[in-house]
Amino acid sequence: HRNGGASQTLVMRDVDCNFRSVLMARKDSGINTLDDLKGATLVLGSNQAAEATVLPIHFLKRENVDFDELQIVSLDGEEDLHGNPCSSERHVLEALKAERGSAGIIGQRMWEGLVAEHGDQLPFAAVWTSPPFSHCAFTAGEQFDEAKGKRFTELMLAMDPDDPACADVLRLEGT
């Protein structure tokens, strides 16, 4: 977007296609629709988190959510008890459990995992789901050498999960 559509997409994980974010609210918050957010406290992940901050804010503004009418708890820059920086979704969930806010945003896969694990006992309800987006992609500016970009893509796509040199990286990336 910032490059006016002039960037090159080099490669993307299959798990990042059609990604969605879920705005969830504590069931005791009275938030059942986006209109109910007015005056509420919304927990957001790190400023760089596509799924927990950047793209949901973009889409919510398109839904006419006025962020000036919300109290925002930004977890950007916070650390967990082990000194690890905010990992967005997990930290948003923990902040909501600790009642630091009424609503927060996590990825749809995490939401579906919570629902599968807790069912009706889950203390949160889904209020809104974003349109689909591409979560992460390796991109380069339009001036980036096309041959280098093509070679990078070839090397990434050649990674084999049965190759011990690649297996751990692919497993950790969920591909």
Side-chain angles (χ1 to χ4, degrees), residues 159-160 162-169:
M159 294 178 77
D160 181 353
D162 294 325
D163 178 347
C166 301
D168 282 343
V169 170

Side-chain angles (χ1 to χ4, degrees), residues 34-57:
L34 292 179
D35 290 336
D36 298 332
L37 282 173
K38 189 181 230 177
T41 302
L42 178 65
V43 178
L44 296 175
S46 70
N47 291 343
Q48 297 84 14
E51 77 287 356
T53 305
V54 178
L55 289 169
I57 286 175

Side-chain angles (χ1 to χ4, degrees), residues 57-86:
I57 286 175
H58 168 76
F59 291 125
L60 285 166
K61 285 180 178 178
R62 286 188 7 195
E63 296 277 345
N64 297 315
V65 171
D66 185 348
F67 279 78
D68 291 333
E69 295 180 341
L70 300 173
Q71 292 182 345
I72 303 295
V73 172
S74 174
L75 302 179
D76 192 62
E78 289 193 17
E79 297 177 349
D80 65 16
L81 295 175
H82 304 289
N84 298 314
C86 172

